[in-house]
Amino acid sequence: MPKSSKVTQRELSNEHVTESVADLLALEAPMDYKSSQMSMNMAGGGPPPIGKPDISPDLEDGRPAWNSKLQYILAQVGFSVGLGNVWRFPYLCQKNGGGAYLVPYFILLILIGIPLFFLELAVGQRIRRGSIGVWNYVYPRLGGIGVSSLMVCGFVGLYYNVIIGWSIFYFFQSFQYPLPWSECPIRRNGSQAIVEPECEKSSATTYFWYRETLNITSTIADSGGLNWRMTLSLLAAWIIVCLAVIKGIQSSGKVMYFSSLFPYVVLFCFLVRGMFLKGAVDGIAHMFTPKLEIMLEPQVWREAATQVFFALGLGFGGVIAFSSYNKRDNNCHFDALLVSVINFIISMLNALNLNVEAGFRGQSSSLMSVLFSCRNAEKILGYLNSNVLSQDLIPPHVNFSHLTSSDYAEMYGVIKIVKEDSFAQLGLEPCLLEDELNKAGAVQGTGLAFIAFTEAMTHFPASPFWSVMFFFMLINLGLGSMIGTMTGITTPILDTFKIRKEVLTVGCCIVAFLCGLLFVQRSGNYFVTMFDDYSAGLPLTTVVILENVSVAWIYGTKRFMQDLEDMLGFRPYSVYFYLWKYVSPVCLLILIFASVVEMAISPPGYNAWVQDLAMERFQSYPPWALAMCFSLIVVAMLPLPLVFIARHFNWLPDGSNKLSVSYRKSLAKEASTLEDETRFILGKNPSEAPSPMPSHRVYLGPGSTSPVELITNSTSISGYGSGYQTNPTPPKSES
């Protein structure tokens, strides 16, 4: 631009003048002309500041970018595929009829999972901000969506890293043979050696989990003090997470190459190894045998919808944060489909592993001894000795000292036919493999990983090797999800406040470790259950439906589809229009209603480990714990009404137009192509600097104006506050 131009003269003069057009678009204080990348020639005034992390050359602004598309996909997969895919999906699949559960899960994945995942990817990539900045931009009065997402990420991250700490403890315990949970400990009583009673009543793996690892108390009210081994494990977990995310995507992206790929290799190896176990085929057949009557139950659909919802990480802010580091022309539609399919495949792989293990446990000799006592087979011996039953009813090949499930089933069938009239008085129970498979797969949550799978590994040859691989896999799965969770926390804060990334990351990890001491008390497992049940479910469902409504009904589905066409270069399928506008909101409203009903009819409580009985028993929360449960829900959802009210009455500054540097730059370039209104030209002539986007009109959101209108009216605006307050009420959205 010639130095004699009016714009350049105004920038270089000492007079107080209205900000440049770039500053008006940013609605921020004027930037230094010589050093700013938003200067009049659209080029940086010098090298980047010392100490700043290197960024991808694909973007000219200071926002980091993914080094490759593979790195980004692995990050999204690592975030969405977490520990819940290892134990939550397989348990629900086993509980709800195996193949019958997969049908509603797949239907709901298409109706609400993929569309909402695509929506979050698109808004993050389009606006290039974290969760707070994105929803401030779309509709400022619903800016509390981002704050609620951040708070839920904080709650989840607190207890999620505790589970990684448990995995670290088991990982180091696996470097010994035999494995420490392979047999019950022996207690010495003088010259007499007896098996530990608590272990004898339960099992070796159960005893090691509750007593050796957690050293758990019998009630949540009895804290029992800190468990120092779990405290050190938690400290190690937070150090690992801090090192992985301290440089943002520059460090976490490299970690994803290993942490996202290694678990799937291990899962596949486990499946191949498990197929050689006795009963594995029975377990897989049980999984894929659909029980169609179960599929019609509302509870199955509610649990399938909840699992779809959490499996993709919707509402946490991590999906938006990761996509905000993409180029604006990235094909996020393909990304949404790819990540969703990979997530489903990994969930199925975990379910197959569980059913293989359940089939093995259902056929194992250790379970047969439990089966023998449960079915009261000793009663048959009593009836034989008392002549209630004739010895002729017992097949000649049956040996009661080595009774198998097939022998018992044959004997049971004969007695039932011969003693049809008086059979009910005998009190005998059937021995069905299906029942044993249901029981073997009925373990859920942390018990599935730390009790059921550990028991199966004790029967593997070279069991320490498989144990090391399994818990190293859990550490990497958890790390991938924690990186996404931490990114969902740090990205919106870094977008909002001027703070060094390293300082923020270290500070967050220190505070989280101190707060996490709640979970490494001897009663800590009960608080993990509490946070898992109450901190995320209802708040996240509310957050996602508000995200859906703000884009589809307030911003406008037509506007959003136009933005997607501008961004992707093609128009997405029209089915998304109807899914976003009608289907997804209805499904989410039904899910919220069902969740509230479930909370109302189910007594709040937890499964406490009773040491004397060596078993879990349900206990209701005491009043203070009940208040804590509902406080988690209220605190997570409180920003939604607070921000809405504060911005409605103009008590809170509006952040709707505080866009990222790259987005402001693109708007400035689009404005420069409109030759009939180019009183202020940003850098080059339109012929020299083609617009990065097609020359469609740009939607800045409800209540905003186009770049040209903003430029034209700039002489009447002396600053951010007065200019915005002249028209605080946004116009009606375009539907």
Side-chain angles (χ1 to χ4, degrees):
M1 177 181 292
K3 291 186 178 180
S4 59
S5 67
K6 293 183 180 180
V7 176
T8 307
Q9 291 175 2
R10 290 176 62 190
E11 283 291 310
L12 299 178
S13 67
N14 295 325
E15 301 178 9
H16 177 71
V17 295
T18 304
E19 294 89 347
S20 67
V21 63
D23 300 326
L24 289 172
L25 289 173
L27 294 179
E28 295 176 346
M31 295 181 288
D32 180 54
Y33 166 73
K34 293 183 179 181
S35 62
S36 173
Q37 291 185 346
M38 287 293 293
S39 58
M40 302 307 292
N41 62 1
M42 297 302 293
I50 297 175
K52 294 284 185 180
D54 294 335
I55 63 173
S56 171
D58 295 334
L59 295 173
E60 299 175 2
D61 58 75
R63 190 174 186 85
W66 298 103
N67 291 328
S68 67
K69 182 64 173 286
L70 176 62
Q71 191 180 87
Y72 165 68
I73 293 297
L74 290 178
Q76 290 285 15
V77 171
F79 175 56
S80 63
V81 179
L83 297 175
N85 294 74
V86 175
W87 54 57
R88 184 66 180 168
F89 179 87
Y91 162 72
L92 291 175
C93 188
Q94 179 79 14
K95 171 188 173 185
N96 295 309
Y101 174 77
L102 298 177
V103 175
Y105 181 86
F106 189 74
I107 292 175
L108 292 170
L109 178 65
I110 295 176
L111 292 181
I112 63 175
I114 294 177
L116 294 178
F117 189 63
F118 179 28
L119 184 146
E120 288 201 356
L121 291 179
V123 296
Q125 181 175 308
R126 173 69 176 176
I127 304 174
R128 296 184 53 74
R129 298 282 281 182
S131 57
I132 294 179
V134 160
W135 303 114
N136 278 341
Y137 165 70
V138 173
Y139 187 58
R141 292 181 182 177
L142 289 181
I145 293 175
V147 183
S148 289
S149 294
L150 189 149
M151 299 195 69
V152 171
C153 277
F155 287 149
V156 171
L158 287 178
Y159 76 85
Y160 202 89
N161 221 24
V162 174
I163 302 175
I164 299 179
W166 294 340
S167 302
I168 292 174
F169 175 76
Y170 267 80
F171 173 76
F172 285 106
Q173 290 291 318
S174 300
F175 289 95
Q176 50 186 306
Y177 184 82
L179 291 172
W181 52 82
S182 60
E183 55 187 21
C184 288
I186 303 299
R187 177 189 294 181
R188 294 288 178 179
N189 186 8
S191 60
Q192 187 179 11
I194 61 173
V195 178
E196 176 65 41
E198 185 180 2
C199 183
E200 189 176 22
K201 295 177 183 178
S202 54
S203 67
T205 53
T206 304
Y207 175 82
F208 188 86
W209 167 242
Y210 283 112
R211 190 55 51 211
E212 297 293 338
T213 304
L214 302 178
N215 194 18
I216 199 166
T217 59
S218 297
T219 64
I220 193 173
D222 181 11
S223 68
L226 289 177
N227 183 333
W228 68 269
R229 290 189 293 184
M230 294 302 101
T231 303
L232 293 178
S233 299
L234 178 63
L235 178 62
W238 276 115
I239 291 175
I240 294 173
V241 170
C242 185
L243 293 176
V245 301
I246 194 168
K247 291 292 185 181
I249 64 171
Q250 308 302 326
S251 56
S252 62
K254 296 179 177 63
V255 173
M256 286 297 181
Y257 283 116
F258 182 79
S259 65
S260 291
L261 293 176
F262 175 76
Y264 314 135
V265 176
V266 174
L267 284 173
F268 182 75
C269 292
F270 263 95
L271 179 61
V272 173
R273 177 63 187 88
M275 290 300 296
F276 292 96
L277 295 174
K278 182 181 179 181
V281 176
D282 294 328
I284 294 179
H286 176 70
M287 172 182 172
F288 288 105
T289 303
K291 303 176 181 62
L292 300 180
E293 67 279 1
I294 297 180
M295 192 174 67
L296 301 178
E297 297 179 4
Q299 177 74 5
V300 175
W301 289 82
R302 186 188 72 83
E303 293 186 342
T306 303
Q307 179 60 23
V308 166
F309 185 81
F310 288 107
L312 295 174
L314 300 175
F316 283 94
V319 173
I320 294 176
F322 279 152
S323 64
S324 71
Y325 298 114
N326 270 330
K327 295 184 293 185
R328 291 184 64 220
D329 60 350
N330 174 64
N331 189 348
C332 55
H333 178 252
F334 172 79
D335 299 343
L337 296 175
L338 178 63
V339 174
S340 299
V341 170
I342 293 175
N343 187 291
F344 180 73
I345 293 174
I346 298 302
S347 297
M348 289 293 297
L349 186 60
N350 281 304
L352 286 173
N353 273 305
L354 172 65
N355 281 271
V356 166
E357 186 271 341
F360 167 70
R361 294 178 71 207
Q363 291 277 12
S364 66
S365 59
S366 61
L367 190 60
M368 287 303 102
S369 61
V370 178
L371 175 67
F372 182 84
S373 60
C374 290
R375 299 297 181 258
N376 294 319
E378 68 274 8
K379 288 184 179 181
I380 297 179
L381 289 174
Y383 294 145
L384 292 174
N385 294 330
S386 60
N387 296 321
V388 175
L389 294 177
S390 172
Q391 187 68 38
D392 297 335
L393 298 178
I394 308 301
H397 64 274
V398 171
N399 184 352
F400 277 92
S401 62
H402 298 88
L403 189 65
T404 65
S405 58
S406 58
D407 290 341
Y408 182 88
E410 183 180 358
M411 188 168 51
Y412 177 88
V414 172
I415 296 174
K416 185 176 182 180
I417 294 174
V418 176
K419 296 288 186 179
E420 182 178 0
D421 296 334
S422 59
F423 182 78
Q425 284 73 32
L426 296 178
L428 301 179
E429 299 177 1
C431 175
L432 300 175
L433 178 60
E434 182 178 356
D435 294 338
E436 300 310 315
L437 290 173
N438 288 332
K439 291 183 179 181
V443 186
Q444 65 167 313
T446 54
L448 181 58
F450 298 104
I451 297 178
F453 277 122
T454 53
E455 181 179 342
M457 284 183 290
T458 59
H459 298 277
F460 287 1
S463 56
F465 168 78
W466 292 104
S467 183
V468 167
M469 290 295 99
F470 177 74
F471 288 107
F472 193 43
M473 176 199 71
L474 287 188
I475 293 171
N476 281 276
L477 279 176
L479 180 60
S481 295
M482 275 302 299
I483 289 174
T485 301
M486 289 295 294
T487 305
I489 295 173
T490 57
T491 297
I493 296 178
L494 291 171
D495 289 342
T496 307
F497 303 102
K498 304 288 185 180
I499 184 172
R500 284 180 60 87
K501 187 182 302 177
E502 295 83 355
V503 174
L504 175 63
T505 302
V506 173
C508 287
C509 291
I510 292 175
V511 172
F513 169 72
L514 295 177
C515 294
L517 295 178
L518 172 70
F519 306 102
V520 291
Q521 304 175 97
R522 291 180 58 196
S523 61
N525 188 45
Y526 304 139
F527 289 99
V528 170
T529 302
M530 176 192 295
F531 272 65
D532 188 41
D533 291 341
Y534 291 94
S535 67
L538 188 59
L540 272 187
T541 310
T542 306
V543 163
V544 173
I545 192 173
L546 290 177
E547 289 180 358
N548 194 172
V549 169
S550 62
V551 170
W553 289 90
I554 299 176
Y555 185 80
T557 312
K558 290 182 180 178
R559 286 185 175 187
F560 189 56
M561 294 289 282
Q562 181 66 55
D563 285 347
L564 290 175
E565 184 176 359
D566 293 345
M567 192 166 61
L568 303 177
F570 64 90
R571 194 172 187 85
Y573 300 115
S574 299
V575 67
Y576 285 110
F577 179 92
Y578 301 101
L579 290 175
W580 283 327
K581 197 170 183 66
Y582 304 109
V583 179
S584 294
V586 171
C587 291
L588 290 173
L589 282 175
I590 295 174
L591 179 58
I592 289 179
F593 176 77
S595 300
V596 172
V597 171
E598 178 70 16
M599 291 176 60
I601 63 178
S602 299
Y606 61 102
N607 291 320
W609 179 257
V610 182
Q611 183 175 1
D612 295 336
L613 302 176
M615 61 181 297
E616 287 185 334
R617 176 170 291 177
F618 182 83
Q619 292 188 13
S620 298
Y621 283 119
W624 63 268
L626 195 59
M628 188 174 179
C629 293
F630 290 104
S631 295
L632 292 173
I633 299 175
V634 172
V635 170
M637 298 177 63
L638 197 58
L640 298 171
L642 288 183
V643 173
F644 185 90
I645 294 172
R647 286 199 167 137
H648 179 76
F649 292 103
N650 297 321
W651 297 339
L652 186 67
D654 199 315
S656 60
N657 286 321
K658 292 184 179 179
L659 306 180
S660 61
V661 175
S662 62
Y663 198 79
R664 296 196 305 265
K665 183 186 292 186
S666 67
L667 295 181
K669 287 184 179 180
E670 290 177 15
S672 68
T673 63
L674 305 178
E675 297 180 351
D676 57 331
E677 297 186 54
T678 54
R679 287 191 294 167
F680 301 111
I681 302 177
L682 302 179
K684 300 180 181 180
N685 294 327
S687 60
E688 299 173 348
S691 173
M693 299 289 294
S695 57
H696 300 293
R697 59 192 182 98
V698 179
Y699 295 100
L700 299 180
S704 302
T705 55
S706 69
V708 175
E709 292 171 339
L710 184 60
I711 296 168
T712 307
N713 298 329
S714 63
T715 55
S716 63
I717 303 176
S718 60
Y720 165 72
S722 59
Y724 182 81
Q725 296 297 336
T726 56
N727 185 20
T729 305
K732 294 182 179 179
S733 65
E734 178 183 337
S735 61

